[in-house]
Every structure is written in C-alpha cells, then in structure tokens.
Amino acid sequence: MQGEYAEDAALSGAVHAAQRGDEAAFRIVFRTVHPRLLGYVRSLVGDGDAEDVTSEAWLQIARDLGSFSGDADHFRGWAARIARNRALDHVRMRSRRPVAGGDETELADRPAASDTAEEAIEALGTGRTMAFIARLPRDYAEVVVLRVIMGLDAKRTAEVLGKSPGAVRTAAHRGLKQLTALIERPQEEGDVPPGEGQQPGGVTQSAARTLKEM
C-alpha cells in the first residue's frame, strides 16, 4: 500500500506541476497514466483504433488540464471520462459497436486493498488480462477495466459511467465472478494458450486465487 500511496503522491505532484507549464512533469503524467488509459480505450474500440482514440483523449487532457482540480485519483477518473467520451464518439461516428463496454446498460467493487487487483494483473500480464476481460458481457467488461486496469474506486467509476456506485459494485462483482470462471475452466480451442507455470485454463494458481478474493 505504501508504494501505491507514493505513486499517487508523485502523480498528484506531477499533475500540479504540469498545470504550471512544466513539460517534464506532463511527460511523467503521460508515462504514468497512458498504459492503463490505452487499455481502457482498447476495451471500448478494439486494437485497431485504440492508439488514435487515446491520442485524441490526450490532446483534450493537455488542452483542458488547467481546468482540472483534484488529486491523482480524481485525475485518473477525469482522464478516463475524457477517453470514454472520445471512444464513444468514435464508435458512433463509425457506426460500430464497442468490442467491450461503452453501452449504456447496467454497468461494480474492487476491494479496499487494491494490491489484490495489482497481483492479478502482474500474474496474468495486462495483455492476457484484457484478453479475458474482452470475453465478458459489455455491461461488465467496462466496469472491470475501470476498476482493475485504471485503478478507480467504485465512486470514481460511477462518475465516469454516469451510474450509481451501487450499480458499479454489482457489475464489478458479477464481472469478476465471470472472469474467474473463464480463467479457471479447461482450455478450449481459441482460448488464450497456457504458459509456463499456468493451469490448463491459462492462468497461474495465484492469479485464480487473487480474482476469487476480489
């Protein structure tokens, strides 16, 4: 948890410095937030367009940074909301449904200790995590991405999606339950191939336990 607090403090400081025009600080903000933001956008528009849409989101983030107010947690939520709007604009413009998430159906709780989610991502790898999440129903996938990949709490996730925290918690609980079932079931044709030290379902035992605890 100390590492998480230190990262949040560093991000908060970088955001405030970037608002004062410090370009080096903005690069720190970008390097810290971009990988997770890209993963979130990828869950909405797919691999092919994720880089372009995320770049558009960063242009708006840079343009509107002066109007932002808050700490690191607020910033991640603010950035996610901008990215979501850019992604949904892109989907509407292309008359294409999102790959996962992005609809307005019922969209829920990461544990108070976020290290369990971080352990799951570390065990699976972000790419493998996203491959499993993409197989969830859209109304669960977006919440899981915001909670697990972006690291937002239920309140911040609810603000991004325009939902109630209760609906977010419910969707997260159901989505993580389905995610656990996906990674634990026997491998089928087309499933993510298992790697060294993994169970037949393509996930380490520690990752399976972690997701159950969530």
Side-chain angles (χ1 to χ4, degrees), residues 88-202:
L88 295 182
D89 286 346
H90 178 80
V91 168
R92 283 190 290 266
M93 185 172 60
R94 295 293 181 88
S95 299
R96 183 172 65 200
R97 294 178 68 119
V99 172
D103 62 350
E104 296 302 327
T105 60
E106 178 194 354
L107 290 176
D109 189 338
R110 203 177 76 168
S114 62
D115 57 330
T116 55
E118 292 170 0
E119 288 169 7
I121 293 171
E122 182 177 353
L124 281 172
T126 302
R128 292 177 61 79
T129 303
M130 293 303 301
F132 281 110
I133 290 174
R135 294 161 63 184
L136 296 175
R138 289 198 311 273
D139 53 349
Y140 296 160
E142 186 173 9
V143 172
V144 172
V145 171
L146 285 170
R147 302 300 308 281
V148 177
I149 303 299
M150 283 298 296
L152 303 184
D153 60 18
K155 179 181 178 182
R156 208 70 61 209
T157 300
E159 291 173 353
V160 171
L161 300 175
K163 303 292 181 180
S164 71
V168 166
R169 291 188 179 93
T170 299
H173 174 76
R174 293 174 181 172
L176 289 169
K177 184 176 180 180
Q178 290 191 24
L179 187 60
T180 300
L182 281 173
I183 65 178
E184 287 186 330
R185 75 183 187 184
Q187 185 185 1
E188 299 175 358
E189 184 177 357
D191 279 357
V192 178
E196 183 179 354
Q198 292 176 338
Q199 301 182 93

Side-chain angles (χ1 to χ4, degrees), residues 17-100:
Q19 288 180 305
R20 297 191 296 270
D22 188 329
E23 294 183 4
F26 186 82
R27 286 194 291 271
I28 292 173
V29 173
F30 179 85
R31 287 196 300 267
T32 302
V33 177
H34 178 71
R36 293 185 176 189
L37 198 66
L38 178 62
Y40 175 45
V41 172
R42 185 175 287 119
S43 76
L44 296 172
V45 303
D47 289 332
D49 300 320
E51 291 280 0
D52 288 344
V53 173
T54 307
S55 294
E56 292 174 7
W58 276 109
L59 287 174
Q60 182 175 346
I61 290 168
R63 185 189 69 208
D64 297 345
L65 186 60
S67 65
F68 170 76
S69 177
D71 58 12
D73 193 47
H74 285 85
F75 181 81
R76 282 190 290 265
W78 180 71
R81 190 159 57 247
I82 289 174
R84 184 177 196 263
N85 289 338
R86 296 286 69 75
L88 295 182
D89 286 346
H90 178 80
V91 168
R92 283 190 290 266
M93 185 172 60
R94 295 293 181 88
S95 299
R96 183 172 65 200
R97 294 178 68 119
V99 172

